[in-house]
Amino acid sequence: MTDTTYTVSVRALCEFTAKCGDLDMRFTPSPSAREGMEGHLWVTRRRPDHYRAEVTLKGEYQNLTVRGRADGYDPEQGRLEEIKTFRGNLDLIPDNHRALHWAQAKVYGALLCAAEGLESVELALVYFDIVRQEEHHLTEHWSAEDLKAEFEAQCDAFILWAEQELAHRERRNLSAEELQFPYHDFRSGQRPLAEAVYQSAATGRCLLAEAPTGTGKTLGTLFPLIKALSTQSLDKVFFLTAKTPGRQLALDALQTLDLPELRTLELVAREKTCEHPDKACHGDSCPLAKGFYDRLPEARQAAARERCLDQARVRDIALAHDLCPYYLSQEMARWSDVIIGDYNYYFDQSAMLYALTQAHQWRTALLVDEAHNLIERARSMYSAALDQHRFRRTKKQAPKALKSRLESLSRSWNEFNRALPEEQDLVLQTEPPEPLIGQLQLTAAAITDYLAEHPFALDSELMQFYFDALQFLRIAELFDERDFLCDIEWRPPPSAKGGKRKGTVIQLRNLIPAAQLKPRFEGAHSATLFSATLNPAGYYCDLLGLPDTVVAMTMPSPFNAEQVTVHTHRNLSTRYHDRARSIAPIAHLIAEQYEQQPGNYLAFFSSYDYLQQVHEHLRDHHPEVPTWAQERKMNEAARADFLAAFNEHSSGVGFAVLGGAFGEGIDLPGKRLIGAFVATLGLPQMNPINNELKQRLEEQFGQGYDYAYLYPGLRKVVQAAGRVIRGEDDTGVIHLIDDRFAQPRIRRLLPEWWALER
């Protein structure tokens, strides 16, 4: 073992050594974080003046340092308390949870006796029912000597792992210092990108890096942060992606770096890793949950020996030890160096990686891949909706004990509807519906209490409404008129069985996610956001809540103007009222280009209707041109078939919707794609919600139209056209179809290396 001291929290120590028995993820209503804090305060405020709350404690055993804060200590009674809040029936708290609570209390007791020179102490588990505001006490009297023995046993159980982790970290850092770039030379723009990423880690700053396709962004950002693991004392690197292909690119880049001492983990959604989707996540149902914590130490040890814990390898190890792959990957997030996963693992409200970073005070570096997607993803993370038709189905199927409460909510909802303007299908408000929220709070509390007493009588409609209600209430707490909008839409029943009554969908819509994302960036040591389209930088800085010290830079393109011919068609308008007149000229343009140079092309349009109209005209008047088209709600197999039509030996035109599945994130190098037609500026639809967004953005940033319409639209255009040139040997043609592409303010937002026609 090295001479370095390993520091661990009391909670982490006990979770590592004292968890046993089954994995049990059955839903049992538990207090929210805020309710838990309020419950602790309620208990401690009832104690006498000499009572000491939040007692900071620390102790050493060999070269292990254990620290934490005990909930409370009464020196006159010699009583140390561990406070836990709960809902419902105390007897429903699993035995292994209580064993963990006792383990924490005993460690705190040992640390307190050592710090205060006590010979003995009374330990109390105080379970506080937040609904009834009642305390339940379980007490044990322990001598300092016995607590010390228990503490040392806990430490002995952990210390071998700590020694292993310290040795791993030392080997990791040494190999990172010696790491060389895997290729003879950097690509164009890749070296300045890597240097900027390293500098952001060295200074603890945020970097916004626009790096064109072909720069080698994934390797160019991962390589410098692996080097910085040692020099900047980083604990973790989080590579966060918007889509699945981004995860694979990161895994491939790390494989190229070939660093045997680096432990990499891929996080995948539970629904994609569940081995028994027909079973519930507890030991009485799923064999992989039975005895999970008893078998976890051996599986964890096996996983820790692996260099790359991708989805397949985690599954192999988990099944070899009869464990759930998803929850094994969750455990290994604590012990991995580079973690690759979706944005939501760090930026969502209940994000696991952010919570672990805060709890363990990790020094973390973020890499946000394809960062132009984060604005819309964050808006969805911090929005919520309630559907009255879904609620009506829930009310019909709900247990009798909840009928009265649901009826009260229904009456309040209908009363809210009656106050809406009858002539408007969509109503916008700057405040959430407070009276309805009050009824919703009472309803959520009633469902919570019911579920606490009946944890197995769970109806899917009830649970879906319950979770929707909790999300709605959480967003209502965040709601402010600067960053959020409440929109209410009247909708007909989804089917004849739904009756004849219209219902409303009430949405609390996040418009500007900066305030929600800002703490996430502040919680990291450094952050690098990168993409091929981050222009203008101020737009992303403002909407993502990046710090004032952010550095924005644009890397030179590895491509040159000779590789692509860009035509701008100034005599055509794709505005809504001009589209009928544009159909024939666009179809003729596509046919003419195909006749001049047969090959594979993509044609992008602003909507499915527009796409179909041009597609039909081309087929009717130019049947010699092979075509295929994107359809609404294509599944993965259909999308794969669409892309498979683009091969080295095929030729034809694929029709797609701008901003859809084929507008970014696909790679068709060489002859698989030689040209693109973009028949739109990609501007979001002009509607009341987007106009309200424009107004808010104008008030806050003075660029309402640009931020709401222009920049999001042109970003989609550049992404779609960027499918054409993917490698240094690629050549192709791009047709930008709309007279507005001739405007100087539009042309300034297009890539500099494109040689635009004058």
Side-chain angles (χ1 to χ4, degrees):
M1 182 172 175
T2 69
D3 293 333
T4 307
T5 299
Y6 194 99
T7 301
V8 65
S9 69
V10 171
R11 178 176 176 176
L13 172 68
C14 294
E15 286 182 343
F16 188 92
T17 59
K19 273 192 172 181
C20 59
D22 297 352
L23 176 72
D24 192 341
M25 301 307 294
R26 280 175 288 203
F27 177 77
T28 53
S30 59
S32 66
R34 192 177 77 171
E35 288 173 329
M37 290 188 288
E38 291 174 350
H40 276 65
L41 286 173
W42 198 94
V43 172
T44 56
R45 285 172 179 168
R46 299 177 68 190
R47 301 296 186 255
D49 292 341
H50 61 262
Y51 185 86
R52 292 157 53 190
E54 298 289 322
V55 183
T56 300
L57 296 168
K58 185 173 75 170
E60 285 80 29
Y61 177 72
Q62 297 182 23
N63 55 354
L64 184 67
T65 298
V66 181
R67 64 186 181 190
R69 285 186 298 183
D71 291 326
Y73 175 55
D74 187 331
E76 292 190 6
Q77 292 190 6
R79 177 185 171 104
L80 182 73
E81 294 184 332
E82 178 73 5
I83 303 169
K84 302 294 182 185
T85 55
F86 76 100
R87 287 179 178 273
N89 189 343
L90 181 63
D91 294 335
L92 293 177
I93 296 177
D95 290 339
N96 56 358
H97 287 201
R98 293 196 187 190
L100 178 60
H101 300 160
W102 274 120
Q104 289 176 292
K106 286 186 278 188
V107 170
Y108 283 126
L111 297 178
L112 178 71
C113 287
E116 305 276 338
L118 305 177
E119 294 184 359
S120 64
V121 68
E122 183 179 78
L123 302 180
L125 290 184
V126 180
Y127 288 102
F128 180 67
D129 186 332
I130 64 166
V131 176
R132 298 177 178 86
Q133 295 195 328
E134 296 175 350
E135 295 182 39
H136 302 266
H137 297 250
L138 302 175
T139 60
E140 293 181 358
H141 194 86
W142 282 79
S143 69
E145 184 178 351
D146 289 342
L147 285 174
K148 180 182 179 183
E150 288 272 334
F151 172 67
E152 291 180 352
Q154 291 278 86
C155 291
D156 283 332
F158 183 79
I159 210 160
L160 290 176
W161 179 265
E163 289 177 351
Q164 172 184 294
E165 288 305 290
L166 283 168
H168 162 75
R169 185 175 180 119
E170 186 173 87
R171 293 193 304 270
R172 180 202 77 178
N173 287 350
L174 287 173
S175 61
E177 289 176 5
E178 298 171 356
L179 180 66
Q180 299 295 316
F181 193 69
Y183 299 112
H184 178 69
D185 201 0
F186 289 88
R187 294 186 188 181
S188 175
Q190 193 176 38
R191 187 182 189 96
L193 173 62
E195 291 173 347
V197 172
Y198 185 88
Q199 190 63 24
S200 73
T203 58
R205 296 173 76 174
C206 183
L207 171 67
L208 190 72
E210 183 179 67
T213 298
T215 305
K217 294 185 289 291
T218 305
L219 186 60
T221 54
L222 277 167
F223 170 70
L225 286 189
I226 302 305
K227 295 288 290 181
L229 284 170
S230 174
T231 59
Q232 306 306 320
S233 301
L234 297 180
D235 295 307
K236 311 280 181 184
V237 174
F238 296 158
F239 190 98
L240 306 169
T241 72
K243 299 177 181 177
T244 301
R247 293 205 314 266
Q248 189 58 52
L249 287 173
L251 289 168
D252 292 344
L254 290 168
Q255 186 74 22
T256 301
L257 288 176
D258 193 26
L259 195 69
E261 300 301 335
L262 190 73
R263 195 180 294 155
T264 300
L265 172 69
E266 179 187 19
L267 292 175
V268 182
R270 180 163 58 182
E271 59 268 21
K272 294 184 179 180
T273 56
C274 182
E275 293 291 320
H276 299 287
D278 59 325
K279 295 179 172 60
C281 293
H282 59 82
D284 295 334
S285 177
C286 180
L288 301 182
K290 187 73 172 176
F292 178 91
Y293 291 108
D294 300 328
R295 296 190 298 277
L296 177 59
E298 188 176 343
R300 181 170 52 209
Q301 186 65 55
R305 290 192 290 266
E306 294 291 325
R307 171 189 172 193
C308 180
L309 290 169
D310 61 8
Q311 181 181 357
R313 191 66 191 120
V314 170
R315 180 177 184 271
D316 289 344
I317 295 170
L319 297 185
H321 294 84
D322 294 323
L323 293 182
C324 170
Y326 176 75
Y327 286 104
L328 177 60
S329 70
Q330 299 274 294
E331 170 67 20
M332 293 311 298
R334 293 164 169 79
W335 315 110
S336 298
D337 305 309
V338 179
I339 302 174
I340 302 166
D342 189 87
Y343 291 164
N344 66 282
Y345 282 104
Y346 190 83
F347 292 111
D348 202 355
Q349 291 181 87
S350 55
M352 178 188 71
L353 293 181
Y354 177 70
L356 288 174
T357 297
Q358 296 297 105
H360 297 285
Q361 298 182 336
W362 287 337
R363 192 174 168 92
T364 296
L366 305 181
L367 290 175
V368 184
D369 181 32
E370 300 293 351
H372 62 271
N373 289 300
L374 185 55
I375 294 173
E376 283 304 318
R377 285 289 304 276
R379 282 172 172 156
S380 66
M381 291 175 193
Y382 293 94
S383 296
L386 287 178
D387 186 329
Q388 192 171 22
H389 292 301
R390 173 172 284 173
F391 168 69
R392 287 169 179 165
R393 293 196 303 269
T394 300
K395 187 164 65 75
K396 287 181 181 179
Q397 302 174 18
K400 289 183 179 179
L402 293 172
K403 289 287 188 183
S404 175
R405 169 80 328 256
L406 294 174
E407 284 291 348
S408 295
L409 176 60
S410 181
R411 288 193 295 271
S412 179
W413 202 327
N414 290 332
E415 184 179 343
F416 171 78
N417 289 349
R418 284 193 291 272
L420 297 173
E422 294 183 3
E423 69 281 2
Q424 296 183 27
D425 290 335
L426 178 67
V427 179
L428 305 184
Q429 297 182 352
T430 57
E431 295 180 354
E434 293 297 345
L436 186 59
I437 286 175
Q439 287 293 326
L440 190 65
Q441 288 171 331
L442 294 173
T443 303
I447 298 174
T448 298
D449 294 340
Y450 177 82
L451 295 176
E453 299 292 338
H454 305 84
F456 308 114
L458 303 183
D459 159 78
S460 61
E461 286 285 350
L462 177 64
M463 289 304 296
Q464 185 59 58
F465 172 75
Y466 178 63
F467 290 140
D468 288 347
L470 292 180
Q471 173 71 355
F472 196 90
L473 293 172
R474 283 193 291 266
I475 299 303
E477 290 184 3
L478 299 174
F479 194 99
D480 68 73
E481 62 181 19
R482 281 169 49 88
D483 298 337
F484 288 83
L485 174 69
C486 176
D487 56 89
I488 305 103
E489 182 183 0
W490 285 99
R491 290 186 186 174
S495 65
K497 294 181 180 179
K500 297 180 180 180
R501 288 187 301 164
K502 279 187 174 184
T504 54
V505 175
I506 307 172
Q507 178 151 328
L508 304 182
R509 187 186 301 271
N510 179 264
L511 300 177
I512 304 173
Q516 283 65 52
L517 296 182
K518 184 178 180 181
R520 304 306 166 108
F521 289 114
E522 292 175 344
H525 170 67
S526 71
T528 295
L529 298 87
F530 60 97
S531 168
T533 48
L534 291 176
N535 180 32
Y539 166 72
Y540 294 94
C541 292
D542 287 341
L543 294 191
L544 295 176
L546 301 183
D548 294 338
T549 56
V550 63
V551 175
M553 58 190 306
T554 300
M555 309 302 160
S557 174
F559 308 134
N560 59 70
E562 286 72 33
Q563 290 181 255
V564 63
T565 302
V566 183
H567 300 284
T568 54
H569 297 271
R570 309 179 185 203
N571 58 338
L572 282 171
S573 168
T574 62
R575 297 170 181 84
Y576 184 78
H577 59 270
D578 295 326
R579 285 180 188 170
R581 291 192 297 272
S582 72
I583 291 171
I586 292 174
H588 177 72
L589 172 64
I590 293 173
E592 185 178 52
Q593 173 64 47
Y594 182 82
E595 182 181 358
Q596 290 177 3
Q597 188 178 5
N600 290 319
Y601 296 86
L602 267 169
F604 293 97
F605 297 86
S606 55
S607 69
Y608 282 101
D609 289 341
Y610 196 15
L611 175 157
Q612 289 169 353
Q613 290 168 354
V614 178
H615 187 209
E616 289 174 3
H617 193 281
L618 183 67
R619 284 189 306 182
D620 292 343
H621 294 82
H622 302 278
E624 72 281 3
V625 180
T627 61
W628 53 98
Q630 179 182 358
E631 297 177 358
R632 289 181 170 89
K633 298 181 180 180
M634 294 175 76
N635 58 29
E636 287 191 20
R639 290 197 295 267
D641 290 342
F642 181 92
L643 292 175
F646 298 87
N647 61 63
E648 292 289 332
H649 307 291
S650 66
S651 62
V653 182
F655 282 69
V657 173
L658 190 73
F662 308 112
E664 62 176 278
I666 63 168
D667 203 19
L668 300 170
K671 294 182 179 180
R672 293 186 65 190
L673 186 69
I674 65 168
F677 306 87
V678 184
T680 173
L681 257 69
L683 304 182
Q685 183 183 15
M686 289 272 190
N687 59 38
I689 291 174
N690 283 334
N691 285 335
E692 183 69 24
L693 170 63
K694 182 185 75 169
Q695 180 178 330
R696 303 289 184 86
L697 293 168
E698 182 66 32
E699 291 170 356
Q700 292 196 41
F701 308 113
Q703 299 189 64
Y705 176 79
D706 289 349
Y707 276 23
Y709 291 104
L710 184 59
Y711 298 157
L714 286 182
R715 186 260 301 166
K716 290 184 287 186
V717 170
V718 174
Q719 281 285 337
R723 300 309 96 199
V724 176
I725 305 299
R726 309 299 294 172
E728 294 181 1
D729 297 326
D730 287 356
T731 58
V733 61
I734 297 170
H735 290 270
L736 302 178
I737 307 170
D738 193 279
D739 59 305
R740 288 166 290 182
F741 283 114
Q743 297 175 8
R745 68 189 301 244
I746 302 296
R747 297 167 79 90
R748 282 195 295 269
L749 295 169
L750 301 176
E752 291 182 1
W753 68 275
W754 287 2
L756 296 173
E757 296 176 331
R758 295 296 177 186

